Amino acid sequence: MAEDYTKRTEYTGEAAQMKAAHVLLREVPFTPSLPELGYNNRTLHIDLTTLTVTEKPVTQQMKDIFIGGRGFGLWYLWQAIKPTTKWNDPENDIIISPGPLGGNTQYPGSGKSLVVTLSPQTSIPIDSNVGGYFGPLMKFSGFDALEIQGKAEQDVIVVIDGQKGVVRIETAPLEPSDSHVAAEIFTAEYAETEADRRNVSIVSAGRAAENSLIGCLNFSWYDLRRKATRLKQAGRGGIGTVLRDKKVKALVCRGPQVRGDMNHPADMARITKVATKLHKEIHDFDDQQCHMRRQGTAHLVEIMDAYDLLPVHNFQYGNHPDTKKIASWIWDARFTQGIPDGCWYGCSMACSKGADGHIVKTGPYKGHVVTVDGPEYETAGGCAANCGIFEPDWLLESNFYCDTYGICTITFGTLTAFIMECYQRGILNKERTGGLEMTWGNAEAQMELLHQMARGEGFGKIAGLGVLRMKRIFTERGWGDPQLLQDIGMEIKGLEYSQYMSKESLAQQGGYALTNKGPQHDEAWLIFMDMVNKQIPTFEAKAEALYYFPLFRTWFGLNGLCKLPWNDIEPEDNAQTSEPAKVPDHVYNYCELFSGITGREIQKQDIITMSEKVYNFQRVFNIRMGKGLRLHDTPPYRSVGPVTREEYESRAERYDTQMREEIGVNPDGLSVDEKIAITRRYREDRYQKLVDAVYTRRGWTTDGVPPVSKLQELGIDFPELVEVVKQHGG
Amino acid sequence: MAARGMAMIRVNGDPIEWHEGMTVRDVLVARNYKFPLIIVTVNSHLVRREAYDTTVVPDESSVRVVHLMSGG
Ligand code: SF4
C-alpha cells in the first residue's frame, strides 16, 4: 500500500491557460430536468460535422421494446447507419445511455453507462458496460441517451452542463488526450469548486486510440478521499478509436449534485427494502466470500490458476507456477484499503480498487507518481499471465499505460500473447518486429510495443490493428503457416478473446463463440457449471444455459446495472434454493427494483422476454452488416482443444482419457500428431452439435438466423428487420 | 487414479480415493477446490460452510460441490 495515497503527480497547473485557448463553436441551451419513473423521455443528439445540437423524443415504443441502455444504443445505431457504413464514416454513431434503473443510489451497482457504436474491429455493433459517473450525471441533467454523429474538423470537446442548462461544443487544442491527464484537467476546468468536482465526469480516449483500432473509452469519477480523478473503461471493440476519429478529445458532463430520489421512482420503499437486504449481505459475507471490497475481481487470479483456467502463453495452458506473484494477496497488500471504492454512489461492493503511488518506469510519464485503477482480473490474466509476465510492478505499468493511452487491456493482453507465440514459433523474429524481442515474460518489450502503438509507429502500429488483421498481414507476407495462425489467433468476428481458458468446457466455447459482439465473457460464463460441476452434461442442457444466461445478462445492459452484485455475493440461504446458479433471491431483487422505479410490474420471466427482443434485434443487426451467421460463430481451434504437441503432452492424461472413454479410440501406440487429429475431429464435431442445439433453443434457423416467426413472437417484426432475415432464409 | 477395490467416493461424478475420517474440507483440498462460492452436498444433504472441517464423509458417498459463477 502506498504510504500516502493522496500523493501523485498533478497536471492542472496550466488548466486555466488551456481553457482560455478554447473557441466556442456552438452553444445551445436546454431545460434541465430530472427523470420521471427512471426516464427523461428525451435524447441529446449532436452532429459534429454540422455542429448541430438537437433533442429527440424517447417514445413509448422505444421504452417498451428496447428498455434503455444497450437497447437504446442499438436502436439509434440502426437508424444512423446503412449496411455499407464503415466505422470511420461520419454517420457512425456513438451512443451512451444509462438505462431506466441507472443512477439510483440505493441498490449496489446501479451507475453503469452502456456505449454502442459500429466497431472498427468487428464491423458490427459493439456494446460496452462501463462505470464512472458520466451516464447518471447526464441522465440527471435531462437525457436518457447521448448520440454523437459526424466528425469535427479539429479537436473538440462537448460539454453538457446540467446545472446551467447548456450544451457547448468547443475547440480544445492544448489539453493532452491521454486520459489520466485529460480527465484531471477537464474536471478542474469545468468544476466551479472543489466540491463541484464530484458533479463532473469526463469521457476520453488517449493517444493510442488515435493510432490503433483497439481504443477504449475512459469514464471518470472524482474520488473525494484521494482527491483524484479515477477511470473506468468501456474497453472492448475500439469505441475509443471511433471517438478520436470524430476528433472528440473529451465529453464533459457537469450534472447536479446527486441525491437519492432523482429517478423519481414509483415506490421508493420497495427499492430501499431490497437494497438494504443486499447491503447487509455484502457487509456480512463479502469477507468470507469473494473479498470484492479488498481485492476487486483480482481475487480470481489464483482461483482461475487452480482450476486450470488462467490463460498462460496465449491460452496454451491454464496455470503457471509463478501465478502466486500476481495473486490476490499481492493486490490486497498493494491496493489502498479502507477507502470506499465504488464507481457510483451507493455501491457498497466497492470493488474499483486503486493502487496508489505507482512510479512510472517507462515512456512519456517516466518518473511520475500515479494511481493505477486496478488491476482487475482480466488485466492480470491478459497483460500478465497470458504474456508470461508475472511481475506486479510491470502489470501496474501496462495497466496504467493501457488506460491512459486509451487501449483495452483485454485486447492488448490477447494480441500481445499472440505476438509472443508467433515469436516463439519463428513466425516473427527480431527483424520482423523491428527489433522487439517478443519473448514470453519480456515486460520491457511489451511496454515498448504499447508505446509504439500509442505513437502509431513500427511494429506497434501493426499490433494495434488487432489479431484478425495481424493474421492477414502475416499470411500476406508469407510469415508462418496460415492454418496455424488461424488456430492460435484468439479472435472471433474480429474481437480478441477475454481471459478465460475454454478448452475443457464445451459450453464456454459456445459462451464465447455464440455471442453477438464477439468473445467477451459477459454474455455467458459457464465454465464452472459445465466443466467442474458437470451440471449441464447434454447438448440440450448446455443449450438451455446458453439461452438463459446471455439473455439474463443482457438485461443488466438494458438497465444501467453492474453484473457483479448479482453473483459475486451470495445470500445466506442461496444454497437451499432450487437454482442457486441463478441466485434467485437477487433475481427477485431486480424485479422489485425495476417495478419500484419504473412502475411497470415485472416478474422474473419478463427479464428474459425483455432481453430476448434486444438480443435478437442485435443478431439481425449483425446479419444486416454482413456477419451474424453460423460461419461467423466459429471459434479458433485453440479455444476448443490442443493445437500443438506441447499442449497435448502437457495435459496428455486428460486427452488420452477422453479418447478412450468418450471417443472410443485406444490412444496406446498412436503418435501425438495422430492423437491431436483424432481429438480435433471429435471436438470440432461436438462444437457443431452444440451450435445446432443452441440455435434450436434460441428459435433460429440452422444458419443462425432468427426467422420472421421469431421476430413476430418478440414484437420486433419491423419491415427492415423482416427484409434482412428473409434474405437469409429466415 | 485409485486402483480397483480401494475405498472410493465420487465428487461431481469423478471417483476419488477415500480414507477413514475424511472430512468435507479434505475433499475440497484433494480436488484443489479453492473457489469460495460453493455449495456442498454429501449424499444429497447440504453441508454448511461452517461444518466443512467437522463433517465426515462416509465411504462410497456421492459428494456434489457446486461452484456458483462469480467472476465472468
Ligand atoms: S460492483 Fe464494482 S464495478 Fe460494479 S458498480 Fe460496484 S464498484 Fe462498480
Side-chain angles (χ1 to χ4, degrees), chain A residues 266-275 588-589 591-597 599-603:
Chain A
D267 187 344
M268 180 62 96
R270 220 168 149 182
I271 303 163
T272 312
K273 194 170 167 198
V274 289
Y588 167 80
N589 290 355
C591 295
E592 287 295 290
L593 190 61
F594 189 90
S595 306
I597 289 179
R600 175 178 163 190
E601 288 298 320
I602 63 161
Q603 309 287 326

Side-chain angles (χ1 to χ4, degrees), chain A residues 622-638:
Chain A
N622 284 355
I623 298 169
R624 179 191 187 218
M625 301 309 292
K627 287 187 181 169
L629 302 175
R630 188 175 186 122
L631 167 73
H632 307 112
D633 290 342
T634 307
Y637 186 61
R638 171 62 58 73

Side-chain angles (χ1 to χ4, degrees), chain A residues 328-476:
Chain A
S328 66
W329 52 87
I330 302 293
W331 304 114
D332 195 293
R334 189 66 187 78
F335 291 146
T336 300
Q337 302 293 352
I339 297 184
D341 281 314
C343 72
W344 175 242
Y345 294 83
C347 188
S348 54
M349 195 152 223
C351 76
S352 298
K353 305 306 296 178
D356 296 295
H358 175 66
I359 300 169
V360 181
K361 296 165 182 285
T362 65
Y365 302 105
K366 188 172 178 179
H368 289 209
V369 180
V370 297
T371 293
V372 182
D373 295 290
E376 296 190 36
Y377 165 75
E378 296 286 339
T379 305
C383 296
N386 224 349
C387 298
I389 301 168
F390 294 92
E391 300 290 341
D393 279 348
W394 282 113
L395 178 53
L396 289 174
E397 184 85 358
S398 55
N399 191 151
F400 163 72
Y401 267 114
C402 279
D403 289 353
T404 197
Y405 281 159
I407 286 283
C408 170
T409 56
I410 295 176
T411 303
F412 180 70
T414 297
L415 72 82
T416 308
F418 170 68
I419 290 168
M420 287 180 165
E421 186 171 355
C422 289
Y423 204 91
Q424 175 200 333
R425 300 192 185 286
I427 298 166
L428 293 174
N429 52 41
K430 219 168 155 178
E431 200 183 315
R432 291 175 180 175
T433 61
L436 295 177
E437 273 189 85
M438 298 304 297
T439 50
W440 300 118
N442 190 342
E444 285 170 62
Q446 181 195 52
M447 288 312 305
E448 184 49 29
L449 183 76
L450 184 51
H451 295 311
Q452 286 185 1
M453 209 178 268
R455 298 193 299 266
E457 288 173 10
F459 191 71
K461 176 99 183 148
I462 295 174
L465 300 174
V467 170
L468 172 69
R469 288 165 181 81
M470 274 195 280
K471 287 191 296 192
R472 285 186 193 145
I473 291 169
F474 298 173
T475 301
E476 278 162 21

Side-chain angles (χ1 to χ4, degrees), chain A residues 543-570:
Chain A
E544 183 60 34
L546 283 165
Y547 169 78
Y548 177 83
F549 287 104
L551 295 182
F552 180 70
R553 295 179 64 153
T554 292
W555 196 79
F556 292 113
L558 306 183
N559 284 290
L561 298 178
C562 175
K563 163 265 165 198
L564 297 171
W566 161 53
N567 69 350
D568 282 60
I569 185 76
E570 185 192 317

